[in-house]
Amino acid sequence: MTDAAPGVSRPQSVLFMCGQNVIRSVMAEQLARHYFGRSLYVASAGIRPGDNDPFVAAVLDEIGLSIGKHRPHTLEDLEDLNFDLVVTLAPEAHHAALDLTSRYPVEVEYWPTMDPTVSHGGSRDQVMAAYRSVRDTLDDKVRDRFRFASKARV
């Protein structure tokens, strides 16, 4: 059910990284946890501190997921950096990951992902639509990269 495609190895542990670990990396982490449970160790971090974003909780709640007790983490907060794969979701995170992995044997993938906060205007519905778009994009990327067999979304 969760086999990788031929020629693509599925890692045992993944770190999702973005700027502050409050939007994109949190969504990716929760989606991966939902699809793969304990068969894939998943964590997330940012390159600088941040505060939880209530819109993330709202769009995850719409699909039955939760951020739970998530508190934003930076790389320095992580106890262990022994990940098989680091997935970066923002340019600044990608540069930090490349610097970090020059000292560790870790694969790095860059998934350019829109920051839904860049369109600071609009109604609540427009803001929610931007966050949903990011959530759905990450849902597709997580399922495609780690080859989740089911075609049904969360």
Side-chain angles (χ1 to χ4, degrees):
M1 182 173 181
T2 57
D3 293 337
V8 177
S9 64
R10 193 169 123 206
Q12 299 299 304
S13 59
V14 178
L15 174 66
F16 291 101
M17 282 179 59
C18 66
Q20 293 182 305
N21 190 221
V22 297
I23 300 173
R24 295 167 283 188
S25 58
V26 176
M27 287 185 195
E29 177 184 12
Q30 296 309 319
L31 288 161
R33 284 182 192 279
H34 169 74
Y35 288 124
F36 303 103
R38 296 183 188 270
S39 72
L40 178 67
Y41 178 78
V42 181
S44 65
I47 59 170
R48 46 181 202 286
D51 296 314
N52 279 335
D53 185 315
F55 288 105
V56 172
V59 298
L60 288 176
D61 184 60
E62 289 178 340
I63 60 171
L65 300 181
S66 167
I67 65 169
K69 296 178 182 178
H70 173 80
R71 293 233 190 275
H73 300 285
T74 63
L75 289 173
E76 292 78 31
D77 297 332
L78 297 176
E79 293 178 21
D80 186 0
L81 292 174
N82 290 326
F83 292 92
D84 299 325
L85 174 64
V86 175
V87 175
T88 60
L89 305 166
E92 60 191 335
H94 189 65
H95 294 296
L98 292 176
D99 287 344
L100 174 71
T101 59
S102 68
R103 300 181 301 272
Y104 298 97
V106 177
E107 183 182 351
V108 177
E109 291 181 12
Y110 178 42
W111 298 356
T113 306
M114 176 187 86
D115 179 352
T117 66
V118 295
S119 62
H120 296 284
S123 68
R124 184 178 194 289
D125 288 341
Q126 291 169 319
V127 172
M128 287 291 288
Y131 278 73
R132 284 183 194 111
S133 177
V134 170
R135 177 200 64 204
D136 295 346
T137 296
L138 288 171
D139 185 83
D140 290 341
K141 287 181 178 183
V142 165
R143 289 161 25 88
D144 288 347
R145 170 56 176 92
F146 304 111
R147 301 297 186 229
F148 190 73
S150 172
K151 298 295 182 197
R153 269 199 173 155
V154 180

